[in-house]
Amino acid sequence: MARKRQSSKSQTATFLTFGAMVLAILGMASVYARVATTHKVDGRDLKAQTQQIYRSQNIIQAKRGAIYDSVGNVLAENASTYTIAAVVKKQTDGDYVKPKQVTHVAKLLKKQLGGKTSFYATTLRDGIKNEQYQVEFSTRGSNLSESDHKALVKLNIKGLTFESHPARLYPNGQFASDLIGYTKTVTDSKTGLDKVEGFIGIEAALNQKLAGKNGIKQTSLDAADKEATKGTKAVKNGYDIYTTLNMKLQQLLETKMDDLDEHLDPEQALAVVVDTKTGNIVAETQRPTFNATKGFTNSWQNLLVQSAYEPGSVMKGITLAAAIDSGNWDASATYKSGTLKIGSQKVTDWNDGVGWGTISYSDGIALSSNVAMAMTEQKMGATTWRKYINKFKFLKSTKSGLLGEEVGNIQFRYPIEQADTAFGQGIKVTPLQMIQAYTAIAGDGTEIQPHVISKIVDPNTHKIVYSAKRKQVAKPISAKTALATRKQLEAVIYSTKAIGSMYAIPNVRTTGKSGTAQIATSAGYSQAGDNTNEIHSWIGMAPADNPRYMMYIVVKRPQKNTNDISTSMSTVFKSVMQQALKMDASDNKVVVSKSATIKVPVLKGENVTTAKKEIAANNLQVEVLGTGDTVKAQYPAAGTKTLQKQKVFINTGKVITVPNMHGWSKNDVTAWGKLADIKINMTGSGFVYAQSVVATTRLDSGVHEITVEFKTPKK
């Protein structure tokens, strides 16, 4: 049968189809070739995207910095808490709690964690019955301490697993807790990992410095399926914070304030001890307080800076200083005490306005007369008095660095309000503002900033990134005025009419001012004389002629033993101040056992005097090279572990002299030579017996090398 010929149309279609296929194949080949060469499609790097799939980011968590007292005793440090679980399902390649082991395991858990054996046994059996992989033990098995974790590991319970969580440890418990602060464990939204975050106090205020910065290790699989590092970001551990607190004094203050709290049952109480020469807060506590390791309630207020209040008669010391400085004080002049009329209002003395008849202004101070201070304000004039309020830096932040600091407020429009502020009503201040103002009276008229941070150290570089210095904030009065004010305030304690005689420190002349303030409410002031609704305070300095320390105590609304308020407060004041005044280097030590190693502190950049104290506090011996004021170099390096009584060398960079090396070890001689940058020739063994250059010889006098002879001591 003859085959039909294709039509011309059909041939054309076939040709076109074949051509399109060829073009498509060529196009695809071109794309594949381009992708193979450039690894890109529409501008996207396929190689990079592929690597991203296989790449992993390993987060290296930063270590949170520690918080120390002034010399290195730990106040807050990192720790871990643990949650336990028990695997109860049979494993092919792992341990689990077998049904026959339930009672035994339950008894072990009960012994270590408390509670009832039946609780653990029931939890385990229910898990086995319901074919769960593992079970947990509610609050009994969570937030376990390091010691609990170690004890449980030692029990070697098959199938018991542990999950660790970052935590914060406060080894001293209730210890300046409002200042040191508290942390919470939160989940990092970026990494999904748990982290410790500051909530109040220094922990919160310096959270960014304490937290550090996480590191990143990026890896990916190469063409041969081998892991290759593609990029890293170094971890930066958080800074270590050194406070100005003195361990021994703080412990005593905590104990005495516990006694006061129990005896008076106040709504709030605060006590602060300040070094008047430096502004260092060496001890501080408040009630209520807390043990941060055990827990914390969200309802909290730092009384030192977050609680502005009407200070009452403690303000009279400031009024007195202003009057003396402005030439408006005559201690021997007399006035009629009791009641002073100002317009349609009255100022009354604290004994229901009865007063003590016509008395001197000096007696008015001794008796804490409101009328005396109101009349003194009138002599100065409102403009002058307000100027001194500003000069003493009231109504301004102390720049403490603590969160939520208040600045206070004042009512000063009318004459009665202006008079009220002279005896501490109608003006609200924080305790820290009052302490700062009184540093001018305690010193030479120079007002200095109180502070609680001594230094900040970068543990990554062992460098001091911040070192506190005495900071003048104002000069509200002259040195002569400060001395005269302290002398006049002695009448509060030593005058025959004094109402503050209980604050006298035995064998130490003391000066200061007591205070009692009615509490302002929406319905007006609390009733005068109602001790349970008043704020009682005392600020005292010693020795009176040249104060070394100052202490401020505030007690709000005591509810028990209200006839003993001044006695209880004075007991705290006298015992703590006596301890402060007799402190020496032996009272400022790092607490370590005799066999423990000591971490050499960061000294480079420190003032030499401070460095020497810190070395002594760490139970080490100091050898100073030169006469400079600042440490330029140190040996051993910061962070090095050493034994007690070993030498630490600090180079101050100026006028270095040869020491008496008799009895030194070879390590000591080598260290000194290295820091002094001089050649040391050594012969023999043992300890230094002789040296070629006489001690006290200046190196810059032409000494280029020293020969040292060693001998082994005879037994």
Side-chain angles (χ1 to χ4, degrees):
M1 186 173 171
R3 188 179 292 173
K4 287 185 179 180
R5 294 179 61 188
Q6 285 182 317
S7 68
S8 60
K9 288 183 179 180
S10 178
Q11 288 178 332
T12 301
T14 301
F15 178 76
L16 290 173
T17 301
F18 178 76
M21 291 177 61
V22 170
L23 289 173
I25 291 171
L26 289 173
M28 292 174 65
S30 175
V31 170
Y32 289 142
R34 186 170 69 253
V35 170
T37 303
T38 66
H39 307 291
K40 291 182 179 180
V41 173
D42 295 333
R44 292 179 297 169
D45 191 328
L46 294 181
K47 184 177 181 181
Q49 289 190 350
T50 302
Q51 283 189 334
Q52 186 66 32
I53 297 173
Y54 295 100
R55 182 177 297 160
S56 64
Q57 278 196 353
N58 297 316
I59 305 296
I60 307 169
Q61 284 191 288
K63 179 182 177 183
R64 189 174 180 85
I67 301 176
Y68 299 97
D69 74 350
S70 61
V71 295
N73 288 297
V74 177
L75 305 184
E77 62 183 343
N78 294 317
S80 292
T81 59
Y82 297 85
T83 299
I84 61 168
V87 178
V88 293
K89 193 170 185 178
K90 185 176 181 180
Q91 305 294 301
T92 56
D93 58 352
D95 292 320
Y96 70 103
V97 178
K98 299 177 177 63
K100 64 181 181 180
Q101 297 173 321
V102 166
T103 301
H104 175 66
V105 170
K107 287 180 179 179
L108 291 176
L109 292 175
K110 182 260 181 186
K111 185 177 180 180
Q112 183 60 39
L113 303 178
K116 295 182 178 180
T117 303
S118 59
F119 163 74
Y120 300 102
T122 300
T123 302
L124 291 166
R125 290 194 179 102
D126 286 348
I128 295 171
K129 180 181 177 181
N130 296 321
E131 297 186 346
Q132 293 175 248
Y133 171 73
Q134 68 180 32
V135 295
E136 295 183 0
F137 302 97
S138 187
T139 55
R140 288 284 181 188
S142 61
N143 290 320
L144 302 183
S145 66
E146 190 72 49
S147 59
D148 282 331
H149 170 248
K150 288 181 179 179
L152 287 168
V153 169
K154 194 173 182 179
L155 292 175
N156 195 29
I157 300 173
K158 303 297 183 184
L160 201 64
T161 64
F162 301 88
E163 182 181 356
S164 66
H165 310 279
R168 198 71 162 162
L169 178 65
Y170 301 87
N172 300 291
Q174 182 179 294
F175 188 96
S177 302
D178 57 303
L179 269 186
I180 304 305
Y182 177 71
T183 57
K184 287 184 175 181
T185 301
V186 299
T187 301
D188 190 319
S189 59
K190 292 182 179 179
T191 65
L193 301 173
D194 286 345
K195 67 176 182 178
V196 172
E197 193 170 85
F199 185 59
I200 64 168
I202 293 170
E203 292 276 30
L206 297 179
N207 183 67
Q208 192 171 357
K209 287 181 169 59
L210 284 162
K213 294 182 180 179
N214 291 340
I216 298 175
K217 180 183 178 183
Q218 274 192 342
T219 58
S220 64
L221 297 179
D222 62 14
D225 287 343
K226 293 181 180 178
E227 191 176 86
T229 299
K230 288 295 180 181
T232 60
K233 178 182 176 183
V235 64
K236 187 174 182 181
N237 292 325
Y239 290 159
D240 291 329
I241 310 296
Y242 286 75
T243 68
T244 56
L245 298 174
N246 176 281
M247 173 73 75
K248 190 170 184 178
L249 201 63
Q250 182 68 36
Q251 289 172 335
L252 176 62
L253 181 62
E254 295 286 355
T255 299
K256 294 301 179 181
M257 284 295 282
D258 277 342
D259 294 341
L260 179 144
D261 190 48
E262 183 178 353
H263 188 65
L264 298 181
D265 189 25
E267 180 181 295
Q268 295 174 336
L270 170 78
V272 189
V273 185
V274 179
D275 182 328
T276 62
K277 305 302 182 185
T278 63
N280 290 347
I281 295 175
V282 293
E284 187 274 353
T285 192
Q286 71 175 61
R287 298 293 179 273
T289 188
F290 58 93
N291 181 333
T293 299
K294 293 183 178 180
F296 174 78
T297 59
N298 289 340
S299 177
W300 183 255
Q301 186 180 47
N302 185 323
L303 302 182
L304 188 63
V305 297
Q306 294 178 339
S307 177
Y309 71 109
E310 295 189 7
S313 296
V314 166
M315 191 71 180
K316 292 172 183 174
I318 304 298
T319 310
L320 172 65
I324 293 173
D325 200 64
S326 63
N328 289 288
W329 180 258
D330 182 351
S332 60
T334 60
Y335 74 99
K336 189 177 185 326
S337 63
T339 301
L340 173 66
K341 229 182 154 182
I342 301 178
S344 60
Q345 304 292 320
K346 291 180 181 179
V347 170
T348 58
D349 281 324
W350 54 266
N351 59 353
D352 293 326
V354 174
W356 306 271
T358 299
I359 58 174
S360 69
Y361 278 90
S362 180
D363 285 344
I365 280 289
L367 290 163
S368 197
S369 167
N370 294 339
V371 172
M373 290 299 102
M375 294 181 72
T376 299
E377 184 274 328
Q378 289 179 331
K379 287 180 183 178
M380 283 191 287
T383 301
T384 297
W385 170 226
R386 181 58 191 266
K387 181 179 72 174
Y388 276 95
I389 290 173
N390 294 338
K391 287 176 71 174
F392 275 102
K393 296 296 181 181
F394 289 112
L395 311 175
K396 290 185 178 180
S397 172
T398 65
K399 298 181 180 179
S400 66
L402 297 172
L403 300 182
E405 180 174 348
E406 294 189 11
V407 297
N409 56 65
I410 191 171
Q411 297 173 16
F412 204 79
R413 183 175 180 181
Y414 301 108
I416 187 63
E417 294 173 338
Q418 295 155 4
D420 284 347
T421 58
F423 52 88
Q425 301 279 184
I427 181 171
K428 287 189 174 182
V429 306
T430 66
L432 198 60
Q433 285 176 328
M434 186 61 75
I435 291 166
Q436 179 173 277
Y438 262 85
T439 62
I441 297 173
D444 59 357
T446 300
E447 189 170 325
I448 61 175
Q449 182 188 52
H451 57 271
V452 73
I453 303 301
S454 171
K455 67 179 179 180
I456 301 176
V457 174
D458 182 349
N460 307 285
T461 61
H462 297 300
K463 289 184 178 179
I464 298 171
V465 298
Y466 168 81
S467 182
K469 294 178 176 60
R470 183 179 185 272
K471 183 178 180 181
Q472 177 178 333
V473 295
K475 181 80 173 177
I477 55 177
S478 68
K480 184 178 179 181
T481 295
L483 179 61
T485 303
R486 294 196 303 272
K487 191 67 179 174
Q488 180 63 79
L489 288 177
E490 289 182 41
V492 173
I493 299 173
Y494 302 107
S495 166
T496 55
K497 296 185 179 181
I499 60 172
S501 58
M502 69 288 295
Y503 290 101
I505 299 174
N507 304 315
V508 180
R509 193 74 174 176
T510 311
T511 187
K513 187 68 191 77
S514 59
T516 304
Q518 296 165 260
I519 297 174
T521 67
S522 58
Y525 283 97
S526 59
Q527 184 178 351
D530 179 5
N531 287 341
T532 62
N533 278 305
E534 292 176 329
I535 298 174
H536 307 267
S537 57
W538 166 259
I539 192 161
M541 301 159 277
D545 60 341
N546 184 22
R548 183 70 180 85
Y549 291 100
M550 174 169 61
M551 186 173 182
Y552 191 26
I553 306 175
V554 182
V555 175
K556 182 179 181 181
R557 286 194 169 113
Q559 299 301 303
K560 289 166 42 179
N561 300 306
T562 54
N563 291 328
D564 293 339
I565 296 171
S566 294
T567 301
S568 293
M569 291 171 60
S570 64
T571 299
V572 176
F573 173 74
K574 288 187 291 186
S575 58
V576 175
M577 285 289 281
Q578 281 179 299
Q579 177 63 45
L581 290 167
K582 70 179 182 181
M583 283 194 307
D584 56 27
S586 64
D587 293 299
N588 212 13
K589 292 282 189 182
V590 174
V591 181
V592 292
S593 65
K594 290 184 179 180
S595 60
T597 58
I598 296 166
K599 188 169 72 171
V600 177
V602 176
L603 304 166
K604 186 178 178 181
E606 282 272 31
N607 172 274
V608 171
T609 302
T610 302
K612 288 166 71 175
K613 288 179 180 178
E614 195 164 343
I615 292 169
N618 279 271
N619 303 284
L620 299 168
Q621 296 180 2
V622 64
E623 191 69 36
V624 182
L625 286 73
T627 58
D629 297 326
T630 305
V631 178
K632 304 296 184 183
Q634 69 176 90
Y635 185 88
T640 303
K641 289 187 176 180
T642 186
L643 296 174
Q644 294 187 57
K645 305 302 180 184
Q646 298 302 301
K647 281 186 173 61
V648 174
F649 297 86
I650 55 175
N651 189 350
T652 69
K654 290 184 180 180
V655 193
I656 298 175
T657 59
V658 177
N660 181 354
M661 299 182 186
H662 185 79
W664 283 21
S665 68
K666 282 191 175 182
N667 283 341
D668 290 341
V669 174
T670 301
W672 183 88
K674 184 177 179 180
L675 280 187
D677 193 23
I678 190 169
K679 183 180 178 183
I680 303 289
N681 303 310
M682 293 185 280
T683 62
S685 60
F687 299 91
V688 175
Y689 173 76
Q691 60 190 81
S692 63
V693 180
V694 177
T696 72
T697 302
R698 290 175 56 151
L699 293 186
D700 59 9
S701 65
V703 178
H704 300 292
E705 60 182 72
I706 301 173
T707 299
V708 178
E709 182 182 350
F710 293 84
K711 278 190 176 182
T712 302
K714 294 181 180 180
K715 294 183 180 179

